[in-house]
Amino acid sequence: PEVEASNVDKPILYRDANCVCAASQMVWLGLECKNIDYLTVLVEKPFNLRSDESANRRIENANDEKNSMIPRIVWPETESNGDEMKNNDKNNQPTSDPIKLLEQIHSHYPAATPNFYPKLSAAVDASRCNILRFPGVMPRLSDPNFMSHAPLLFRPDGTLVPKSSHCVSLEELEEMLEEYYLGPYLCGKDVTAADVAWIPYLERYAVQLPMVYPNVDVLNPRSSDAYGEVWKWFLAMERDVPAYACAVMGDGRLWKRCLEEVVELHNERAATEEEKVTLGPEPKRKGWWMKNNPKGLELWKEYAEGRPWLGGTPEWEVALFLIRNREEIMKECGVDGADEALREVVQRLLYGDAGATLSEKACQIVQFVGERVSVPKDLGMVPALALWAISQ
């Protein structure tokens, strides 16, 4: 669908409805980090892994070729009049390049924190430099068509990216982070556009690489022993960037499913039997795909401030989700007395009662929703953790 920009006074973000497109995630995080008031148009766009990445980001039946891609931002006409180049690429065409869109966001809101492109000195533009370092630091020659589903793991010729390449890349990333010793981010003490640009790919990579090569410490980007600075960076993004933890971050289950799709295609074209991948069984622990966050409530309070459509706590946000989806939940859950059980869950979320135990049927409701909710499509990571917490 198209929204007439002349009718609104806010930017309009067109992004992937299923939260798989890494470029969309990057731009979404950029808007959220700066706490910009914008509208979202969710585009249902199934990915075909046999097509190139640009084809998967193209919107079919778009009214105009120039508006046929995601992600895309349509800026209010009052802002763009007389300054079209501020919103478009060098050929004066709307762009879907996420790096250029981050530049646009900052040019429209330069005073909004964080500063995406701080100058560490008159000569050093660290944020833009570190964005440009990504293809040189991370494994080379990986299949560009898999960058949203399973980046940096597979090559187009049916081979795996060598283990040594992963080790070298992670060591280089560790050294990059050591360069800016004043803080845990890619440019030091504050999050910048570099972090926003890197995190969509490294989020997937950190989940998926250990699934391809299990129980190998140097092939685990989140290993605090092997890559201490990288580990601190992940923690900083998850525990100190409210927009990421509360809205944009995906979960392990989503990235496992994406990896499974890519593995199926990779194994079909594998150069040799040795290049084929067999993934291990899914962990049995409930909620294994979630990242525990001890700062969840604090992060949510900061994130929800100024966003009146959100619940005031993670629990309230879950209650809103359950109420909005109550008819579908009661129809599909298979729990006798589902209405009463759902009311019990909502009551607990809204008012709390740590000393009481949920009934068996209420726990069944929590488990049913928890196993089906998609993070971040349905709920952000912090509210999703709150849902699981009430059943423990």
Side-chain angles (χ1 to χ4, degrees):
E2 289 291 326
V3 177
E4 182 57 54
S6 61
N7 296 333
V8 297
D9 59 355
K10 305 173 183 178
I12 305 166
L13 170 65
Y14 289 77
R15 66 172 175 86
D16 165 34
N18 294 311
C19 301
V20 171
C21 173
S24 291
Q25 186 184 16
M26 188 190 305
V27 179
W28 180 20
L29 180 58
L31 288 166
E32 289 287 340
C33 276
K34 280 185 171 281
N35 196 9
I36 293 165
D37 189 12
Y38 67 99
L39 300 178
T40 300
V41 176
L42 298 175
V43 179
E44 291 286 350
K45 178 60 182 172
F47 269 65
N48 179 359
L49 292 173
R50 298 179 189 274
S51 299
D52 62 43
E53 177 82 0
S54 62
N56 280 313
R57 289 168 48 202
R58 188 173 299 119
I59 303 170
E60 296 176 3
N61 304 319
N63 295 338
D64 191 323
E65 180 65 24
K66 70 182 182 181
N67 295 328
S68 65
M69 298 286 283
I70 56 171
R72 178 164 56 93
I73 298 177
V74 177
W75 298 97
E77 290 188 356
T78 53
E79 288 190 19
S80 62
N81 286 342
D83 194 10
E84 289 294 332
M85 293 301 289
K86 188 176 185 179
N87 305 311
N88 303 331
D89 64 14
K90 62 182 180 180
N91 297 315
N92 201 25
Q93 293 295 317
T95 183
S96 64
D97 183 328
I99 304 302
K100 293 178 180 177
L101 288 171
L102 290 181
E103 294 275 4
Q104 286 185 13
I105 292 169
H106 186 70
S107 69
H108 280 276
Y109 301 94
T113 56
N115 181 356
F116 277 175
Y117 306 101
K119 288 291 186 71
L120 300 188
S121 71
V124 178
D125 189 345
S127 182
R128 290 185 177 91
C129 287
N130 282 340
I131 290 172
L132 293 174
R133 291 171 77 176
F134 181 88
V137 169
M138 300 312 294
R140 301 161 182 81
L141 304 178
S142 63
D143 195 327
N145 298 334
F146 296 162
M147 287 301 287
S148 284
H149 272 70
L152 311 170
L153 301 175
F154 305 94
R155 289 179 167 174
D157 63 359
T159 61
L160 290 164
V161 171
K163 297 178 184 179
S164 59
S165 294
H166 296 297
C167 293
V168 169
S169 292
L170 289 168
E171 288 167 2
E172 288 189 31
L173 178 56
E174 182 82 356
E175 292 172 2
M176 272 182 64
L177 288 160
E178 289 173 349
E179 291 174 15
Y180 300 94
Y181 58 88
L182 294 178
Y185 301 105
L186 285 169
C187 298
K189 64 179 181 177
D190 297 312
V191 68
T192 66
D195 303 287
V196 174
W198 281 63
I199 191 63
Y201 303 106
L202 292 190
E203 172 185 317
R204 293 155 173 76
Y205 187 63
V207 172
Q208 296 168 343
L209 182 60
M211 291 181 175
V212 176
Y213 301 109
N215 305 316
V216 182
D217 209 37
V218 293
L219 294 174
N220 181 359
R222 298 187 67 108
S223 168
S224 59
D225 292 329
Y227 309 110
E229 298 303 316
V230 179
W231 174 72
K232 290 176 186 176
W233 179 73
F234 277 116
L235 285 188
M237 292 297 296
E238 294 164 5
R239 299 184 181 183
D240 295 315
V241 183
Y244 179 63
C246 296
V248 181
M249 178 183 178
D251 66 13
R253 180 170 56 182
L254 173 62
W255 305 135
K256 183 177 187 294
R257 288 172 180 167
C258 288
L259 176 62
E260 288 169 345
E261 293 180 38
V262 173
V263 165
E264 182 178 356
L265 177 56
H266 167 78
N267 286 346
E268 288 178 9
R269 68 184 191 187
T272 65
E273 286 296 316
E274 289 72 21
E275 295 291 342
K276 291 185 177 181
V277 172
T278 300
L279 300 177
E282 190 169 282
K284 296 181 179 180
R285 178 175 58 86
K286 288 183 179 180
W288 62 266
W289 54 87
M290 311 289 283
K291 282 294 178 188
N292 186 40
N293 198 326
K295 296 178 67 176
L297 180 58
E298 177 186 340
L299 287 166
W300 186 262
K301 286 182 176 179
E302 183 176 344
Y303 178 69
E305 185 176 357
R307 293 177 170 93
W309 57 89
L310 297 175
T313 68
E315 291 79 9
W316 291 8
E317 182 68 10
V318 178
L320 286 171
F321 173 79
L322 296 178
I323 292 168
R324 293 182 187 122
N325 295 277
R326 61 190 181 279
E327 292 184 5
E328 182 180 354
I329 292 170
M330 289 189 295
K331 179 181 177 181
E332 301 293 336
C333 69
V335 176
D336 291 334
D339 180 66
E340 183 178 350
L342 184 58
R343 289 172 185 269
E344 180 184 348
V345 174
V346 171
Q347 178 86 2
R348 169 66 65 84
L349 290 163
L350 292 177
Y351 302 108
D353 189 355
T357 302
L358 285 176
S359 68
E360 181 179 351
K361 291 182 177 180
C363 287
Q364 290 174 356
I365 292 286
V366 172
Q367 182 170 345
F368 172 82
V369 176
E371 290 180 348
R372 286 159 181 79
V373 74
S374 178
V375 177
K377 178 181 177 181
D378 300 321
L379 283 173
M381 179 67 79
V382 168
L385 284 166
L387 171 64
W388 279 104
I390 67 168
S391 67
Q392 302 304 310

